Amino acid sequence: MKYILKASLIFLFVMNLSEIQAQEPNPEFDHHFTHVVYFWLKNPDSADDKKAFLTSLKNFMTKSEYAKTKFIGEPAGTSRDVVDGSFTYSLILTFPSKDIQDKYQKEPSHLKFVEESQHLWERVVVYDSVGL
């Protein structure tokens, strides 16, 4: 019984270790240049529009050779006077420099995303920041 228990524990440890190794590592947040984009879709209640937008956005992000940190979000549902939760989706990307971000603006996958998806949004607001 003692050997079965030890073998079971080793098996569970190895299984958990393989799960950890299989997970893609999260890239470290790059503090040099941050590109934050908020999208308001024309039809935010349309499941088809949301699916088309997210499919195009995720496809673009997997192909972007310049964006380091890649995050898609939606309103968190927090209710404070200073929180604007009126957007449909947010996108946070980081870059090692402004020059790299300038290249990202012209890369084919970014331009294709804009071409495919611009008919779905009614408003886009961008906040670019450099680290201190």
Side-chain angles (χ1 to χ4, degrees):
M1 183 70 172
K2 187 174 175 183
Y3 295 109
I4 293 173
L5 181 59
K6 281 185 180 179
S8 296
L9 289 174
I10 290 170
F11 176 76
L12 289 173
F13 174 76
V14 170
M15 290 302 292
N16 285 335
L17 183 60
S18 66
E19 283 182 34
I20 291 168
Q21 291 172 339
Q23 293 176 358
E24 185 176 313
N26 290 331
E28 186 176 324
F29 188 88
D30 193 318
H31 296 273
H32 292 98
F33 192 101
T34 303
H35 181 67
V36 181
V37 186
Y38 293 92
F39 298 93
W40 284 260
L41 297 188
K42 290 178 184 176
N43 301 303
D45 296 326
S46 168
D48 290 340
D49 284 6
K50 289 172 94 171
K51 181 179 178 183
F53 178 83
L54 287 174
T55 298
S56 181
L57 181 58
K58 289 175 182 178
N59 185 44
F60 143 62
M61 287 192 357
T62 61
K63 293 180 179 175
S64 176
E65 62 182 284
Y66 298 109
K68 186 172 179 184
T69 304
K70 302 169 184 177
F71 172 84
I72 300 172
E74 60 186 0
T78 52
S79 58
R80 298 188 316 272
D81 291 342
V82 296
V83 175
D84 177 0
S86 65
F87 61 94
T88 312
Y89 293 110
S90 64
L91 174 65
I92 301 173
L93 304 175
T94 64
F95 303 90
S97 69
K98 180 187 178 306
D99 291 337
I100 298 296
Q101 192 274 161
D102 290 343
K103 290 180 180 182
Y104 147 85
Q105 289 294 333
K106 298 173 187 169
E107 77 177 320
S109 60
H110 179 245
L111 297 175
K112 183 177 181 185
F113 162 70
V114 172
E115 180 183 328
E116 287 178 348
S117 301
Q118 65 185 348
H119 72 281
L120 297 171
W121 63 65
E122 66 180 359
R123 181 177 177 211
V124 176
V125 175
V126 176
Y127 295 97
D128 287 339
S129 302
V130 293
L132 298 176

